[in-house]
């Protein structure tokens, strides 16, 4: 079975597939770009996306048989620790003009789309933040993240930005890296990332059903994802 899956699933996917009884060949990438590849004819049995919008487009174009939600995520901020000031919270960090903000690439990578929603929810101040934010990963022409590195860690430690807005499922791993601090974003403004899979071939229905199972939910929760779909 051939799967195209969102890059944010890469760390949890082996643990999930360890409980699935069939061999699965998986390639990871930004969900928006993967969807375009499927539309262009890339062979695929199941597409696991970090946004419901991309599977829905395939379903509307009759390139998918069904779509199923299977996980949720949210955003957090990873900041270079020595840029923090006493009492800093998410809002102060994003609105401090001296800090360089990085995100994933909107349209190509859902993480970038969710960051745009965050800026909108911040109101007029968010429009200023939006203009300052630089999409550094997840785009067609973005530099590749080195193997074994997390986007936030790589961007900050190579001095491309002072903070990165990305998925909270990476929180535990990022919190263990020296020189980085992870800051939560309140639920009132934090968009919910809803993961969904597009069933492209009938055989993929078994994998889609597994991703919604209690066993899969336990693995996803352990990895920092939500299952309130």
């Amino acid at each position: 079975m051939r799967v195209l899956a969102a890059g944010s699933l890469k760390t949890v996917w082996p643990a999930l597939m360890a409980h699935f009884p069939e061999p699965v060949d998986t390639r990871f990438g930004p969900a928006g770009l993967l969807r375009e590849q499927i539309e262009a004819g890339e062979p695929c049995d199941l597409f696991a996306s970090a946004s419901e919008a991309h599977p829905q487009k395939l379903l509307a174009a009759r390139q998918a048989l069904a779509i199923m939600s299977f996980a949720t995520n949210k955003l957090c901020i990873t900041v270079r620790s020595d840029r923090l000031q006493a009492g800093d919270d998410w809002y102060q960090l994003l609105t401090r003009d001296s800090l360089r903000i990085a995100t994933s690439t909107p349209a190509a990578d859902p993480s970038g789309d969710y960051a745009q929603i965050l800026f909108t929810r911040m109101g007029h101040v968010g429009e200023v933040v939006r203009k300052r934010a630089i999409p550094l990963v997840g785009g067609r022409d973005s530099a590749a993240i080195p193997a074994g590195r997390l986007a936030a860690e790589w961007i900050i430690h190579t001095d491309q930005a002072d903070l990165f807005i990305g998925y909270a499922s990476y929180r535990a791993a990022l919190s263990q890296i020296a020189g980085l601090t992870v800051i939560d974003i309140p639920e009132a403004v934090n968009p919910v990332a809803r993961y969904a899979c597009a069933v492209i071939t009938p055989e993929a229905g078994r994998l889609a059903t597994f991703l919604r199972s209690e066993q899969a939910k336990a693995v996803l929760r352990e990895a920092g994802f939500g299952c309130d779909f």
Side-chain angles (χ1 to χ4, degrees), residues 64-145:
L65 302 174
I67 60 173
M68 296 184 187
S69 300
F70 67 93
T72 60
N73 210 335
K74 56 184 179 180
L75 298 179
C76 67
I77 294 170
T78 304
V79 60
R80 182 170 160 171
S81 299
D82 61 9
R83 295 292 190 265
L84 284 168
Q85 299 177 9
D88 270 347
D89 64 9
W90 71 280
Y91 186 86
Q92 290 167 317
L93 290 171
L94 292 183
T95 56
R96 183 171 300 142
D97 292 343
S98 60
L99 296 181
R100 297 166 296 166
I101 301 169
T103 70
S104 290
T105 304
D109 187 342
S111 176
D113 297 325
Y114 295 125
Q116 296 299 309
I117 295 172
L118 169 65
F119 301 151
T120 297
R121 291 181 178 181
M122 291 175 68
H124 70 279
V125 174
E127 296 307 311
V128 177
V129 179
R130 192 195 310 275
K131 292 176 182 177
R132 290 173 43 225
I134 305 169
L136 291 181
V137 293
R140 289 178 184 81
D141 302 317
S142 299
I145 301 169

Side-chain angles (χ1 to χ4, degrees), residues 2-17 24-35 37 42 46-50 70 108-109 138 170 195 225:
R2 180 169 171 77
V3 173
L4 298 182
S8 53
L9 292 169
K10 189 172 185 178
T11 55
V12 71
W13 200 253
L16 284 169
M17 294 304 99
V24 176
D25 176 25
T26 307
R27 181 164 65 83
F28 300 93
L33 299 185
L34 293 178
R35 188 208 80 231
Q37 292 165 20
E42 177 80 13
L46 183 134
F47 168 44
S49 170
F70 67 93
D109 187 342
Y170 293 116
Y195 287 61
F225 291 85

